Amino acid sequence: MRKHQKNNNKNKFFTRGTIIGIAVIAAAASVGGYFSLGTMIPVNGTTPVFAPPTNIYILATHDSQNGYYFEEQSTRQGKKTLASGAIDASIHVIKGQLVALHIINEDKETGTQHDLNIDEFNVHTKKLNYFQAQTINFIADKAGTFKYYSTLHPEMKSSLIVDSG
Ligand SMILES: [Cu+2]
């Protein structure tokens, strides 16, 4: 009985190896945090945000059936289509979320440039060439339905839907 209690007490303390392990992880995290600080400032804010972002993946592309279009890939369920047969590229996030928008030009067919803009959240990519990608971080700080679009191709447009938390 007495022996058993002693063992329990011993287990309450970290071993030397564990403490060193924690120190290494903490040091790596603080260095990583320091160097990524610049990228954590959302385009519609002025101060860094320390939160895990909601990742949204959008590709800009073209095919003979649909012409130029955006495709939202975050669900990993492939192409979402509306009843009309049109591609549903709408983005759904929750108010207050830090959103990391990853845009890639996958328009191999025409090789033209594409961009993506959401005016209300100060999201404006550069004109991306084929296979160029850009990540833009913004805070979804207001609820509603907002248009996102390409300035280069008026037919490329869809909606960002921010649900109130
Ligand atoms: Cu475009």
Side-chain angles (χ1 to χ4, degrees):
M1 191 63 186
R2 181 115 184 96
K3 209 176 177 183
H4 188 69
Q5 261 178 345
K6 230 180 181 176
N7 275 342
N8 273 351
N9 283 342
K10 198 183 173 190
N11 285 343
K12 279 181 189 164
F13 298 97
F14 293 127
T15 64
R16 191 183 162 80
T18 308
I19 291 165
I20 293 169
I22 289 169
V24 168
I25 291 163
S30 69
V31 169
Y34 177 78
F35 286 113
S36 66
L37 201 65
T39 65
M40 296 300 281
I41 299 174
V43 293
N44 60 339
T46 50
T47 50
V49 175
F50 298 99
T54 298
N55 290 291
I56 302 284
Y57 301 89
I58 293 178
L59 58 88
T61 190
H62 178 279
D63 64 36
S64 52
Q65 202 188 340
N66 300 289
Y68 295 118
Y69 63 96
F70 287 117
E71 191 177 319
E72 204 267 322
Q73 300 256 300
S74 311
T75 59
R76 307 245 173 240
Q77 289 166 354
K79 225 175 258 186
K80 294 181 290 179
T81 47
L82 300 167
S84 65
I87 292 152
D88 175 13
S90 59
I91 308 167
H92 296 256
V93 299
I94 311 257
K95 189 183 170 187
Q97 282 181 331
L98 173 66
V99 182
L101 202 58
H102 309 280
I103 303 102
I104 184 165
N105 178 342
E106 282 197 11
D107 185 356
K108 194 160 73 178
E109 268 194 19
T110 72
T112 192
Q113 291 183 321
H114 294 288
D115 65 345
L116 189 153
N117 304 271
I118 316 173
D119 295 344
E120 292 86 348
F121 297 93
N122 194 32
V123 171
H124 303 287
T125 70
K126 53 190 181 187
K127 294 178 173 69
L128 301 166
N129 292 311
Y130 173 59
F131 225 71
Q132 245 189 332
Q134 188 177 356
T135 295
I136 292 188
N137 297 306
F138 71 95
I139 296 280
D141 56 4
K142 41 188 172 278
T145 300
F146 308 93
K147 183 184 174 188
Y148 79 83
Y149 65 96
S150 165
T151 58
L152 302 165
H153 309 98
E155 67 270 43
M156 294 179 83
K157 56 182 191 298
S158 191
S159 300
L160 162 70
I161 295 146
V162 182
D163 292 317
S164 48

